[in-house]
Amino acid sequence: MSKVIAIDGPSGAGKSSVSRIVGGRLGYLHVDSGALYRIMTWQALARGVDTDSPDAVAAFAPQVEIECRPEAGAIRFYVGGELPGDRIRTPEINAHASHVASVKAVRDRITSLLQGLVRFGDLVVEGRDITTAVFPDSPARFYLTASAEARARRRRKEEVEKGIADQSEDAVKASLLARDAIDSTRKYAPLRKADGVYEIDSSDMTLDEVVEAVLAKVHEAFG
Ligand code: DC
């Protein structure tokens, strides 16, 4: 049976960096579940689907073909034979992704796709509902958080370094908080800290410290 490390938390808490490093250290495949919600959003916008209409999004959801391939320590998601890359990381996708992720048909489709990834081996999966809905029985479940200021600072730095956008820190913070609000109050599988999940507040921690804290708990959980 494949082992799964599940990591949830709000935007910009450092889930991706931590998951990637932990996966690399343990030989587990990294799975960025947010990329799947972003892909659905990207495709919906590209086809002119009204992302504010849950019915329109639900009708569109089954049409997006996503191919999953284990490559370079991660599960990579291909659409039409191509990797989406930073096309799914724009401010426009940020603004619409929470709406698309609120639609039950989208969540059901992505949840079963994620659960099926265990066929590829051990996984470290990050997202918003991994510890509560996708892999709630994993013995290694984490809630990674940080202050809104720390999260906005990190996310802005990432966007500038990648040449995706150059918004003010306040604008990045407002966008993060708007998404958090929708993600944690939606009807289906909202972001929440589940019972029995190990919480790490990374506001004043280095990336190395967070990685070590996760690894220590994983060793405890899996022996
Ligand atoms: O982690 P991210 O910013 O790439 O996520 C993009 C959007 O998808 C965000 O609105 C949260 C949502 N999401 C979700 O609802 N459930 C997940 N497991 C992962 C992401």
Side-chain angles (χ1 to χ4, degrees), residues 40 54 57-62 100 102-111 188:
M40 296 297 265
V57 172
F60 175 70
V100 171
S102 300
V103 176
K104 188 170 186 300
V106 171
R107 302 210 69 80
D108 289 347
R109 168 134 197 248
I110 291 179
T111 297
Y188 305 107

Side-chain angles (χ1 to χ4, degrees), residues 7-12 15-16 32-38 41 88-89 93-94 96-102 107 110-111 114 125-130 134 155 176 179-180 182-183 186 188-191:
I7 304 182
D8 282 330
S11 309
K15 299 186 298 292
S16 290
D32 169 11
S33 68
L36 292 167
Y37 290 95
R38 288 174 177 274
T41 308
I88 59 168
R89 312 257 162 219
I93 306 276
N94 290 346
H96 291 83
S98 296
H99 298 279
V100 171
S102 300
R107 302 210 69 80
I110 291 179
T111 297
L114 289 168
V125 190
E126 46 143 329
R128 302 291 189 295
D129 65 339
I130 310 303
V134 183
R155 191 43 71 87
L176 287 182
R179 265 189 298 153
D180 288 353
I182 300 174
D183 293 336
R186 67 178 174 226
Y188 305 107
L191 170 67

Side-chain angles (χ1 to χ4, degrees), residues 7-171:
I7 304 182
D8 282 330
S11 309
K15 299 186 298 292
S16 290
S17 310
V18 171
S19 303
R20 210 171 292 125
I21 298 172
V22 166
R25 292 270 290 269
L26 298 175
Y28 286 31
L29 293 161
H30 171 224
V31 182
D32 169 11
S33 68
L36 292 167
Y37 290 95
R38 288 174 177 274
I39 284 173
M40 296 297 265
T41 308
W42 172 52
Q43 289 293 296
L45 291 172
R47 310 279 175 83
V49 173
D50 176 5
T51 57
D52 287 331
S53 160
D55 288 344
V57 172
F60 175 70
Q63 295 172 31
V64 184
E65 282 182 26
I66 301 172
E67 191 200 336
C68 308
R69 296 189 206 160
E71 286 175 353
I75 302 289
R76 287 192 174 153
F77 305 115
Y78 284 77
V79 180
E82 275 184 53
L83 282 171
D86 288 337
R87 284 176 289 183
I88 59 168
R89 312 257 162 219
T90 63
E92 192 196 10
I93 306 276
N94 290 346
H96 291 83
S98 296
H99 298 279
V100 171
S102 300
V103 176
K104 188 170 186 300
V106 171
R107 302 210 69 80
D108 289 347
R109 168 134 197 248
I110 291 179
T111 297
S112 65
L113 186 153
L114 289 168
Q115 289 169 339
L117 296 179
V118 293
R119 68 187 183 280
F120 293 116
D122 297 331
L123 308 173
V124 50
V125 190
E126 46 143 329
R128 302 291 189 295
D129 65 339
I130 310 303
T131 62
T132 57
V134 183
F135 293 109
D137 299 326
S138 163
R141 294 181 302 150
F142 297 87
Y143 188 83
L144 186 57
T145 187
S147 68
E149 291 68 30
R151 294 190 286 123
R153 210 177 317 119
R154 290 175 193 159
R155 191 43 71 87
R156 176 173 189 278
K157 185 165 173 270
E158 194 180 295
E159 287 182 358
V160 171
E161 279 173 4
K162 287 187 169 177
I164 297 172
D166 190 359
Q167 313 174 89
S168 70
E169 208 169 288
D170 279 349

